[in-house]
Amino acid sequence: MQTDSHILDDVARVATGAMGAASGLKGELDAMIKRRLEGILAHMDLVPRDEFDAVKEMAARARTESEALAERVARLEARLAADGAGEASDGR
């Protein structure tokens, strides 16, 4: 009975050691993958999210202003056309 206890203790120690080694290997593998991905991303021409959002907002504002200016020009052209038509019918 005593030898069974020693065998079980030995098996438990081996299992504990294997779990510790597996845990260390997982940590090392995670760190290696992270370094690899960071290296790949560093070589890509990526824009930080805050800069992307700022440019997106500027583009939306520019589009709104452009549409407002296009409407204003259309109204001015319509007014000029109406004034020109009125002058033509007056015989000027």
Side-chain angles (χ1 to χ4, degrees), residues 49-83:
R49 183 66 188 199
D50 57 339
E51 288 180 26
F52 174 79
D53 289 340
V55 171
K56 184 178 173 183
E57 184 180 328
M58 287 172 34
R61 213 175 309 132
R63 177 180 290 139
T64 302
E65 291 175 8
S66 175
E67 290 169 354
L69 287 172
E71 290 175 20
R72 184 174 176 199
V73 167
R75 285 193 310 269
L76 289 172
E77 288 175 341
R79 189 184 315 165
L80 283 173
D83 288 349

Side-chain angles (χ1 to χ4, degrees), residues 1-18:
M1 191 65 123
Q2 189 92 9
T3 56
D4 288 341
S5 177
H6 288 298
I7 292 173
L8 291 177
D9 286 344
D10 288 345
V11 168
R13 271 190 236 113
V14 169
T16 302

Side-chain angles (χ1 to χ4, degrees), residues 14-47:
V14 169
T16 302
M19 293 297 284
S23 177
L25 182 60
K26 180 190 179 301
E28 192 173 318
L29 186 62
D30 286 346
M32 185 177 69
I33 290 171
K34 183 178 177 182
R35 283 192 308 270
R36 185 77 158 156
L37 286 175
E38 286 173 349
I40 290 169
L41 291 175
H43 293 298
M44 298 176 102
D45 191 18
L46 299 176
V47 176

